[in-house]
Amino acid sequence: MSDEALLGRLREISVEAGWAALVERGYPNCFIGGLQVVHPDVPMVGRARTLRYVPFRQDLAAQVEREGPQLNKRAVEECAAGDVLVVDAFGTCDAGFAGDIVLTRFVRRGGAGVVVDGSIRDLTFLRKIALPVYTRATHAAASTERIIGVEQNVPVQIAGVAVLPGDYLLGDAEGVLVIPAGLAEEIVATAAATDDKEIFIRKKLEQGATLYDAYPPNEAILNEYRQSKQ
Amino acid sequence: MSDEALLGRLREISVEAGWAALVERGYPNCFIGGLQVVHPDVPMVGRARTLRYVPFRQDLAAQVEREGPQLNKRAVEECAAGDVLVVDAFGTCDAGFAGDIVLTRFVRRGGAGVVVDGSIRDLTFLRKIALPVYTRATHAAASTERIIGVEQNVPVQIAGVAVLPGDYLLGDAEGVLVIPAGLAEEIVATAAATDDKEIFIRKKLEQGATLYDAYPPNEAILNEYRQSKQ
Amino acid sequence: MSDEALLGRLREISVEAGWAALVERGYPNCFIGGLQVVHPDVPMVGRARTLRYVPFRQDLAAQVEREGPQLNKRAVEECAAGDVLVVDAFGTCDAGFAGDIVLTRFVRRGGAGVVVDGSIRDLTFLRKIALPVYTRATHAAASTERIIGVEQNVPVQIAGVAVLPGDYLLGDAEGVLVIPAGLAEEIVATAAATDDKEIFIRKKLEQGATLYDAYPPNEAILNEYRQSKQ
Amino acid sequence: MSDEALLGRLREISVEAGWAALVERGYPNCFIGGLQVVHPDVPMVGRARTLRYVPFRQDLAAQVEREGPQLNKRAVEECAAGDVLVVDAFGTCDAGFAGDIVLTRFVRRGGAGVVVDGSIRDLTFLRKIALPVYTRATHAAASTERIIGVEQNVPVQIAGVAVLPGDYLLGDAEGVLVIPAGLAEEIVATAAATDDKEIFIRKKLEQGATLYDAYPPNEAILNEYRQSKQ
Amino acid sequence: MSDEALLGRLREISVEAGWAALVERGYPNCFIGGLQVVHPDVPMVGRARTLRYVPFRQDLAAQVEREGPQLNKRAVEECAAGDVLVVDAFGTCDAGFAGDIVLTRFVRRGGAGVVVDGSIRDLTFLRKIALPVYTRATHAAASTERIIGVEQNVPVQIAGVAVLPGDYLLGDAEGVLVIPAGLAEEIVATAAATDDKEIFIRKKLEQGATLYDAYPPNEAILNEYRQSKQ
Amino acid sequence: MSDEALLGRLREISVEAGWAALVERGYPNCFIGGLQVVHPDVPMVGRARTLRYVPFRQDLAAQVEREGPQLNKRAVEECAAGDVLVVDAFGTCDAGFAGDIVLTRFVRRGGAGVVVDGSIRDLTFLRKIALPVYTRATHAAASTERIIGVEQNVPVQIAGVAVLPGDYLLGDAEGVLVIPAGLAEEIVATAAATDDKEIFIRKKLEQGATLYDAYPPNEAILNEYRQSKQ
């Protein structure tokens, strides 16, 4: 399946069904919760591009600067359409790793979303554009002399969940599901099937079935479901 | 007063006036705050049906299973219209005690709301239906192998407040007021009177009265208020 | 510049540009974040009137009472139009320093906003009026026998930031910028210039410029910007 | 094995080896950490007697009182020698469930320790006696009008771990291991074997072996270990 | 009673008995818990001298400096023997309000202890001297450019408890009891009587009495106690 | 100066004087506080060897395993005498990155200490050996299936402070000072001078000098100090 097709199908499954499919395959810790969701009504799908920050230190900053532009700029200029910036900023609450200017460019390059275990600035601006943003906090401060980016595309930690470069991400009002790239097709297929069946079960419940009969479905409801699929 | 009438009158008082009436009667710790309010514009009134969860344990789960269906299902199938599920899940942030399917059935049975010191899943679904939900957190994970329900209709603890089965509950954008059943009529009457007087005071303030004169009201304003009631 | 003119110009700058101007002048700790923003779409500008609360104590309350009306009432009756109540209530989460009645009067007197490191009550009411409110928490409880106001117009602490009486405040969806009165004109001028230039940069980025070229702007873009100003 | 013999053998294993044996058998969540350890040098072994508290409420207290003495007194008077009081007080930090007097009696009756997700009072006294105490907090306040005991010998939650009545408990400076009664003999045997082997490995490391060779042990070291056992 | 005599008698009562006497008189919130106790085996008695800090701000610092020496120095040079520094530093964890030098002078002047809702530095030094210290945190940083003292001898907030200048303080391994000066004699007398009786009860329990008989004591034990006092 | 000589001199300065010397040179954020100190009476000096962990993930673990032994083992086998393991485990509280066996080998290889923003296991063992350990938490769990080490000798984050490989570390009862390698000689010299002068000041204060005269020292005391040095 092409990457584009995969992102398209990802857009159609629920985070919960994806979660269940991942747990079955031995990935119990794949959901990022507890972050502030700037646009709860704008879902997010994309591929992870990871960044890692540490607290600012003068000598480290000098060394990083010698190596090229700041990490957030580099990540944005090097990203592909459909990328999500996944920023491990050790949960810092008082230094935004990026703001309106950097993210304007990111949107122009086709950026699909931002997930920060740390802070972002310019919330007033972000509320006006459709970019999905998940963040620990928002703050007016820039990163200058507070945090410094040191690595790109390494495994990172976000809210207690590991994210690897290239992971597929699916975000909704609740949080972000992290799907290893190699499993994505399989997860999407399993989750779509689950969603389909659960929508049927919900319909039965709306019509008056009990949970005892419908969840999990008894033989009769299961047959009815199967027939509805023919 | 019938239960239905009581729920109706409850819908007309403010949480703050109810709080004050309860404090006067020796119930200073009757307001549940600090939870996430899924529908701040949908008030909640109902009767408490309590559930208690503990962390999952294999042997405990086996024993509970032998005794019948899972606690959340049992609570939903046994509840009456107007019941609110009050779930003590010890503040857990990574395991939803229930999600779209169980709550679809709950709505069908006339469920009036959910209050969880713990998590709920399927927030995207919950945002679309009018069921009032107060919760510590939301998470994609199901309860399986994370938490397990052990008791129904016992006293529970929600955000530092005791809730007893049968308590009347009144929720708004701020949180949930817990009213012992035996006091409910009295509280509703007192609170309605307080609200009525305070609306009058607010009107006086909007017209230019000072707080020194109007709050508490001096004799003149009090007389004016009494006359307005005749 | 008249106070009114200053408040008017303050309304036109962004919190982030103001933050940067303050940092340049040696005020790195001037942004109040992490509070609940009741009206994220209603900006706040005004002057700080500070109040300080401590936990309730019977003997202290008796002494305070002998000296006159409660602190929140006094502050409201003594405030000028354009004042913002800045309340240091040591982060308390279960006692509102004020509610609908006191704040109705505050609005009538031209109050411009409320910033509380503590709680406020009557959230349902506050959601319906346009008064900007920043608060640590909301709770149904009144201050009675929980907290007590002891001082007005002294330096206070809000979310780790010092606020002095007379400071200018600028609030948006993100939080509140604290501007020392003596610097306000200068900050407003610098910030307006920053905003103007950054809007130009954003436009260039929307047109396809890279961050490497535009942020900071290279000579060509800088010239273009300067010419656009003539 | 007699209960006494089991407690004796439990005293000889390490918490870590017991933890590993429990994980192997499907009990990954069996260690209570994060509590204050009053006597880090006094190990604890015993059987769990659970108590459950909720926040105080006048009507609930009246009802509980009608049923007999307070829960902490009842638990102490009904306990057997070797019992550990395991108290779920929902993490409360400002109300001790018991103090010097109740615990003096508990010691007299052969009580083996106390584990509280909540508070205990009389720390100065507790520091002078050898009773092992694990607690979330200590506070001078009694439980009166703050918390109230409602149940004994039900499953409870302590620091995110489920404890069932009759569980075996093993405490050291780090925290408390929770061992389901039915597994205790098996766990003790497995853990003792692990400890024995790991002490041998530590000795090899002290003599200069590398981790690559000794942990896990290679064939040569394993043989040496086996011979040492003959 | 002279102040000296009072401090002497205070030294003989338990924190818990003092707490109970204060609650009876309408002071339920009089115990400071949750702080780090540097010398759990060194009790503290003294009178409160309060200091209030806010976050550092350049203009505020300049103004304070014009008025005289820094607050911590002034407080130490002005204190009387038996004074306890009670420092409201809004819980800051990364800036010590004082360290070895200031506290060496404080000890020389007869200082009786330090209670900080904030930080202290030079813990290694403090561990070697017998000054009782209760603190939220310890940190190597000085106060410079982090916090600034603004007031002395005003009501302050420590860990959720109000402290007034002149209050009597009694500290043990658990925390600090705050006694309004006007009540101190009475509290000391009541608490001493409680302690005396409870020691008798503990003795009875050690001899085998049950809690049902001895706590509260039945008529027989009460008589025995009374006779023991003759 | 040889590395050995430097470590020797480091052992003689106070953390506070070192902190002040670093602040003067533009390193305000160089002290790690807030960790549990296993041996408050055993100072630590050494060089940082950093390790970085993320939450466990099956596919990541498989990939890491293909590359060689686990990170903690590799770090220990590759370390030099005088190295301190500095472990960024994102603050995890329920999975020890290492325990008695790995650390026994570390001690044998001349390891100088451990600093973990995360957990360590086998506290009972660690309390018996003289290895300085600073840790966020202790827990019986091993790292297996909880956390996984991904990098060595990269910049890491510990309690909000950046640590670089090769930094010199100085730990006492309070926490750990982080000294960039290139500055270490200079810092040690400056700090030793500060300590020397401050010990003199403390002596003057013990003899009755006031803070106004001695801190900072006036001309007379300064002269006296200078003469004492001749």
Side-chain angles (χ1 to χ4, degrees):
Chain A
M1 200 185 296
S2 75
D3 184 77
E4 201 177 335
L6 192 54
L7 289 172
R9 293 212 56 197
L10 204 53
R11 208 175 291 275
E12 287 159 13
I13 67 167
S14 74
V15 164
E16 275 76 15
W19 176 87
L22 280 161
V23 169
E24 272 172 34
R25 281 155 187 81
Y27 291 83
N29 187 19
C30 55
F31 178 74
I32 296 170
L35 299 186
Q36 184 177 340
V37 185
V38 175
H39 294 294
D41 294 319
V42 182
M44 177 181 80
V45 300
R47 271 171 271 93
R49 171 173 284 266
T50 65
L51 292 80
R52 190 165 75 87
Y53 280 73
V54 298
F56 180 85
R57 208 169 104 174
Q58 201 193 106
D59 53 350
L60 178 58
Q63 172 188 325
V64 164
E65 211 167 299
R66 278 192 298 274
E67 289 164 11
Q70 289 169 7
L71 189 64
N72 59 358
K73 290 186 194 170
R74 257 185 14 234
V76 165
E77 290 300 344
E78 296 169 9
C79 78
D83 275 5
V84 172
L85 300 180
V86 177
V87 185
D88 178 347
F90 56 93
T92 198
C93 287
D94 61 359
F97 97 98
D100 61 349
I101 291 186
V102 168
L103 295 177
T104 293
R105 175 65 178 157
F106 182 55
V107 169
R108 182 57 160 71
R109 286 190 58 79
V114 179
V115 181
V116 200
D117 201 335
S119 297
I120 205 154
R121 60 195 306 233
D122 293 308
L123 179 60
T124 295
F125 172 82
L126 292 174
R127 286 167 56 89
K128 289 180 197 147
I129 64 172
L131 183 72
V133 175
Y134 297 81
T135 187
R136 174 78 56 201
T138 62
H139 198 280
S143 55
T144 332
E145 307 210 3
R146 302 200 174 201
I147 59 173
I148 178 151
V150 289
E151 291 185 296
Q152 212 186 153
N153 282 333
V154 291
V156 296
Q157 185 267 134
I158 303 289
V161 176
V163 183
L164 269 57
D167 283 345
Y168 284 90
L169 302 176
L170 171 60
D172 71 356
E174 199 164 69
V176 180
L177 191 71
V178 178
I179 309 171
L183 289 176
E185 283 201 36
E186 190 179 337
I187 295 298
V188 161
T190 307
T194 304
D195 281 335
D196 191 73
K197 193 197 276 182
E198 299 213 335
I199 287 165
F200 184 86
I201 290 175
R202 287 216 311 260
K203 229 171 270 167
K204 296 307 294 181
L205 294 167
E206 281 159 9
Q207 292 163 7
T210 71
L211 290 167
Y212 302 152
D213 289 336
Y215 191 53
N218 60 20
E219 207 48 41
I221 291 177
L222 214 54
N223 279 333
E224 202 180 327
Y225 172 63
R226 284 179 195 131
Q227 281 165 1
S228 78
K229 295 284 102 182
Q230 290 170 343
Chain B
M1 199 186 297
S2 76
D3 183 76
E4 201 177 337
L6 192 54
L7 289 173
R9 293 212 57 199
L10 203 55
R11 207 175 293 274
E12 286 159 13
I13 68 167
S14 73
V15 164
E16 275 76 15
W19 176 86
L22 280 160
V23 170
E24 272 173 34
R25 282 155 187 82
Y27 290 83
N29 186 19
C30 56
F31 178 75
I32 296 170
L35 299 186
Q36 184 176 340
V37 185
V38 176
H39 293 293
D41 294 319
V42 181
M44 177 181 81
V45 301
R47 270 170 272 91
R49 170 173 286 265
T50 65
L51 292 81
R52 189 165 75 87
Y53 280 74
V54 298
F56 180 85
R57 207 169 106 173
Q58 201 193 108
D59 54 349
L60 178 58
Q63 172 189 323
V64 163
E65 211 167 297
R66 278 192 299 274
E67 288 164 12
Q70 289 169 8
L71 189 65
N72 58 359
K73 292 186 194 170
R74 261 189 5 239
V76 165
E77 291 299 345
E78 295 170 10
C79 79
D83 276 4
V84 172
L85 300 180
V86 178
V87 185
D88 179 348
F90 55 93
T92 198
C93 286
D94 62 358
F97 97 97
D100 60 351
I101 291 186
V102 167
L103 295 177
T104 293
R105 175 64 177 159
F106 182 56
V107 169
R108 182 57 160 72
R109 287 191 58 80
V114 179
V115 182
V116 199
D117 202 335
S119 297
I120 205 155
R121 62 196 304 235
D122 293 307
L123 178 61
T124 295
F125 172 83
L126 292 174
R127 285 166 58 88
K128 290 181 196 145
I129 65 173
L131 183 73
V133 175
Y134 298 80
T135 187
R136 175 77 57 200
T138 62
H139 199 279
S143 55
T144 332
E145 307 211 4
R146 302 201 175 201
I147 60 173
I148 178 151
V150 289
E151 290 186 298
Q152 213 186 154
N153 283 333
V154 292
V156 296
Q157 184 267 134
I158 303 289
V161 176
V163 182
L164 269 57
D167 284 345
Y168 283 89
L169 302 177
L170 171 61
D172 71 357
E174 198 163 70
V176 180
L177 191 72
V178 179
I179 309 170
L183 290 176
E185 283 200 37
E186 190 179 337
I187 294 299
V188 161
T190 308
T194 304
D195 280 334
D196 190 72
K197 194 198 277 184
E198 299 212 337
I199 287 164
F200 184 85
I201 290 174
R202 285 216 312 260
K203 230 171 267 166
K204 296 306 294 180
L205 294 167
E206 281 158 10
Q207 292 162 6
T210 72
L211 290 167
Y212 302 151
D213 288 337
Y215 190 55
N218 61 20
E219 207 48 41
I221 291 177
L222 214 54
N223 278 335
E224 202 180 328
Y225 172 63
R226 284 179 196 130
Q227 281 164 3
S228 79
K229 296 285 103 184
Q230 287 171 346
Chain C
M1 201 185 297
S2 76
D3 184 76
E4 200 177 337
L6 192 53
L7 289 173
R9 292 212 56 196
L10 204 54
R11 209 175 292 275
E12 287 159 12
I13 68 166
S14 73
V15 164
E16 275 76 15
W19 176 86
L22 281 160
V23 170
E24 272 172 34
R25 282 156 187 80
Y27 291 83
N29 187 19
C30 55
F31 177 75
I32 296 169
L35 300 186
Q36 184 177 341
V37 184
V38 175
H39 294 293
D41 295 317
V42 182
M44 176 180 81
V45 299
R47 269 171 273 91
R49 170 173 284 267
T50 64
L51 293 79
R52 190 165 74 88
Y53 280 73
V54 297
F56 180 85
R57 210 169 102 172
Q58 201 193 106
D59 54 349
L60 178 59
Q63 173 189 323
V64 164
E65 210 166 299
R66 279 191 299 274
E67 288 163 14
Q70 290 169 8
L71 189 64
N72 58 359
K73 291 186 193 170
R74 256 184 14 234
V76 165
E77 290 300 345
E78 294 169 11
C79 77
D83 275 5
V84 172
L85 300 179
V86 177
V87 185
D88 179 349
F90 55 93
T92 198
C93 287
D94 62 359
F97 97 98
D100 61 349
I101 291 184
V102 168
L103 294 177
T104 293
R105 176 63 178 159
F106 181 55
V107 169
R108 182 56 160 73
R109 286 191 57 79
V114 178
V115 181
V116 199
D117 201 337
S119 297
I120 204 155
R121 61 196 304 233
D122 293 308
L123 179 61
T124 294
F125 172 83
L126 291 174
R127 287 166 57 89
K128 289 181 196 146
I129 65 171
L131 183 72
V133 175
Y134 298 81
T135 188
R136 175 77 56 200
T138 62
H139 199 279
S143 55
T144 333
E145 306 211 6
R146 301 201 176 200
I147 60 173
I148 177 151
V150 290
E151 289 185 297
Q152 212 186 154
N153 282 333
V154 291
V156 296
Q157 186 267 134
I158 303 288
V161 176
V163 183
L164 270 57
D167 284 344
Y168 284 89
L169 303 176
L170 171 61
D172 70 357
E174 198 163 70
V176 179
L177 191 72
V178 179
I179 308 170
L183 290 176
E185 284 201 36
E186 190 179 336
I187 294 299
V188 160
T190 308
T194 304
D195 281 334
D196 190 72
K197 194 197 279 183
E198 299 213 334
I199 287 165
F200 184 85
I201 290 174
R202 286 216 311 259
K203 230 172 269 167
K204 296 306 293 181
L205 293 168
E206 281 159 8
Q207 293 162 6
T210 71
L211 290 167
Y212 300 152
D213 288 336
Y215 190 53
N218 60 21
E219 207 47 41
I221 291 176
L222 214 54
N223 279 334
E224 204 181 326
Y225 171 63
R226 284 179 196 131
Q227 281 165 1
S228 79
K229 296 284 102 181
Q230 289 172 343
Chain D
M1 200 186 296
S2 77
D3 184 76
E4 200 176 337
L6 192 52
L7 290 173
R9 292 212 56 198
L10 204 53
R11 208 175 292 275
E12 288 159 11
I13 67 167
S14 73
V15 164
E16 276 75 15
W19 176 86
L22 281 161
V23 169
E24 271 173 34
R25 282 155 187 80
Y27 290 83
N29 188 20
C30 55
F31 178 75
I32 296 170
L35 300 186
Q36 184 177 340
V37 184
V38 175
H39 294 293
D41 294 318
V42 182
M44 176 182 81
V45 300
R47 271 170 272 91
R49 169 172 286 266
T50 65
L51 293 79
R52 191 165 74 87
Y53 280 73
V54 298
F56 180 85
R57 208 169 104 172
Q58 200 194 108
D59 53 349
L60 178 59
Q63 174 189 322
V64 164
E65 210 168 299
R66 277 191 300 274
E67 289 164 12
Q70 289 169 8
L71 189 65
N72 58 359
K73 291 187 194 169
R74 259 190 4 241
V76 165
E77 291 298 345
E78 295 169 10
C79 78
D83 276 5
V84 172
L85 300 180
V86 177
V87 185
D88 179 348
F90 55 95
T92 198
C93 287
D94 63 358
F97 97 97
D100 60 349
I101 290 185
V102 168
L103 295 177
T104 293
R105 175 66 176 157
F106 182 57
V107 169
R108 182 59 160 69
R109 286 191 58 78
V114 178
V115 182
V116 199
D117 202 336
S119 297
I120 205 154
R121 61 196 306 233
D122 292 309
L123 179 60
T124 294
F125 173 83
L126 292 174
R127 287 166 57 87
K128 290 181 197 145
I129 64 172
L131 183 72
V133 175
Y134 298 80
T135 187
R136 174 77 57 199
T138 62
H139 199 280
S143 56
T144 333
E145 307 212 4
R146 302 200 175 201
I147 59 173
I148 178 152
V150 290
E151 290 186 297
Q152 210 187 156
N153 282 333
V154 291
V156 297
Q157 186 268 133
I158 303 290
V161 176
V163 183
L164 269 58
D167 284 345
Y168 283 89
L169 302 176
L170 171 61
D172 71 357
E174 198 163 70
V176 180
L177 191 72
V178 179
I179 308 172
L183 290 176
E185 283 200 36
E186 190 180 336
I187 294 297
V188 161
T190 307
T194 304
D195 281 335
D196 190 72
K197 194 199 277 184
E198 300 213 334
I199 287 165
F200 184 85
I201 291 175
R202 286 216 310 260
K203 230 171 266 167
K204 297 306 293 181
L205 294 167
E206 280 159 9
Q207 293 163 6
T210 71
L211 291 166
Y212 301 152
D213 288 336
Y215 191 54
N218 61 21
E219 206 47 40
I221 292 177
L222 214 53
N223 279 334
E224 203 180 327
Y225 173 63
R226 283 178 197 132
Q227 283 164 2
S228 78
K229 295 284 102 182
Q230 290 170 344
Chain E
M1 199 185 298
S2 76
D3 183 75
E4 201 177 337
L6 192 52
L7 290 173
R9 293 212 55 198
L10 203 54
R11 209 176 291 275
E12 287 159 12
I13 67 167
S14 73
V15 164
E16 275 75 15
W19 177 86
L22 280 160
V23 170
E24 272 173 35
R25 283 156 187 80
Y27 291 83
N29 187 20
C30 56
F31 178 75
I32 295 170
L35 299 186
Q36 184 177 341
V37 184
V38 175
H39 293 294
D41 294 319
V42 182
M44 177 182 80
V45 301
R47 272 170 271 92
R49 170 173 286 264
T50 65
L51 293 80
R52 189 165 74 87
Y53 280 73
V54 299
F56 180 85
R57 209 170 103 172
Q58 201 193 108
D59 54 350
L60 178 58
Q63 172 188 322
V64 164
E65 210 166 299
R66 278 193 299 274
E67 289 164 12
Q70 290 170 8
L71 189 64
N72 57 1
K73 292 186 194 169
R74 265 195 355 247
V76 165
E77 292 298 344
E78 296 169 10
C79 78
D83 275 5
V84 172
L85 299 181
V86 178
V87 185
D88 179 348
F90 55 94
T92 198
C93 286
D94 61 358
F97 97 98
D100 60 350
I101 291 185
V102 168
L103 295 177
T104 293
R105 175 65 177 158
F106 182 56
V107 168
R108 182 58 160 71
R109 288 190 58 78
V114 178
V115 182
V116 199
D117 201 336
S119 297
I120 205 154
R121 63 196 304 234
D122 292 308
L123 178 60
T124 294
F125 172 83
L126 293 174
R127 287 165 57 88
K128 290 180 197 146
I129 64 172
L131 183 72
V133 175
Y134 298 80
T135 187
R136 174 78 56 201
T138 62
H139 199 280
S143 56
T144 332
E145 306 211 5
R146 303 202 174 200
I147 60 173
I148 179 152
V150 290
E151 290 185 298
Q152 212 186 154
N153 282 334
V154 291
V156 297
Q157 185 268 133
I158 302 290
V161 176
V163 182
L164 269 58
D167 284 345
Y168 283 90
L169 302 176
L170 171 61
D172 70 357
E174 197 164 71
V176 180
L177 191 72
V178 179
I179 309 171
L183 290 176
E185 283 200 35
E186 189 179 337
I187 295 297
V188 161
T190 308
T194 304
D195 281 334
D196 191 73
K197 194 198 277 182
E198 300 213 335
I199 287 164
F200 185 85
I201 291 175
R202 285 216 311 262
K203 230 171 269 167
K204 297 305 292 180
L205 294 167
E206 281 159 9
Q207 293 162 5
T210 72
L211 291 167
Y212 301 152
D213 288 337
Y215 190 53
N218 60 22
E219 206 47 42
I221 291 177
L222 215 53
N223 279 334
E224 202 180 328
Y225 172 63
R226 284 178 196 130
Q227 282 164 2
S228 79
K229 296 284 104 182
Q230 289 170 345
Chain F
M1 201 185 294
S2 75
D3 185 77
E4 201 177 337
L6 192 53
L7 290 173
R9 293 212 56 197
L10 203 55
R11 208 176 292 274
E12 286 159 12
I13 67 167
S14 73
V15 164
E16 276 74 17
W19 177 86
L22 281 161
V23 170
E24 271 173 35
R25 283 157 187 80
Y27 291 82
N29 187 20
C30 56
F31 178 74
I32 296 170
L35 299 186
Q36 184 177 341
V37 184
V38 174
H39 294 293
D41 294 319
V42 182
M44 176 181 80
V45 300
R47 271 170 271 94
R49 170 173 286 265
T50 65
L51 293 79
R52 190 166 74 86
Y53 281 73
V54 298
F56 180 85
R57 207 170 105 173
Q58 201 194 106
D59 53 350
L60 178 58
Q63 172 189 322
V64 164
E65 210 167 299
R66 278 192 299 273
E67 289 164 10
Q70 289 169 8
L71 190 63
N72 57 0
K73 291 186 194 169
R74 254 179 22 230
V76 165
E77 291 299 344
E78 296 168 10
C79 78
D83 276 4
V84 172
L85 300 180
V86 178
V87 186
D88 178 348
F90 55 93
T92 198
C93 287
D94 61 359
F97 97 98
D100 60 350
I101 290 185
V102 168
L103 295 177
T104 293
R105 175 65 177 158
F106 182 56
V107 169
R108 182 57 160 72
R109 287 190 58 78
V114 178
V115 182
V116 200
D117 201 335
S119 297
I120 205 154
R121 61 196 306 234
D122 293 309
L123 179 60
T124 295
F125 172 83
L126 293 174
R127 286 166 58 89
K128 289 179 197 146
I129 64 171
L131 184 72
V133 175
Y134 298 81
T135 188
R136 175 76 57 201
T138 62
H139 199 279
S143 55
T144 332
E145 306 211 4
R146 302 201 175 200
I147 60 172
I148 177 151
V150 290
E151 289 186 298
Q152 211 186 152
N153 282 333
V154 292
V156 297
Q157 185 267 133
I158 302 290
V161 176
V163 182
L164 269 57
D167 284 345
Y168 283 90
L169 302 177
L170 172 60
D172 70 356
E174 198 165 71
V176 180
L177 191 71
V178 179
I179 308 171
L183 289 176
E185 283 200 35
E186 192 180 335
I187 295 299
V188 161
T190 308
T194 304
D195 281 335
D196 191 72
K197 195 198 276 181
E198 300 213 333
I199 287 165
F200 184 85
I201 291 175
R202 286 216 310 260
K203 230 172 268 168
K204 297 306 294 182
L205 294 167
E206 281 159 9
Q207 293 163 5
T210 71
L211 290 167
Y212 301 152
D213 289 336
Y215 192 52
N218 59 21
E219 207 47 40
I221 291 178
L222 215 53
N223 279 334
E224 202 180 327
Y225 172 63
R226 284 177 196 133
Q227 283 165 0
S228 79
K229 296 284 102 183
Q230 289 170 342

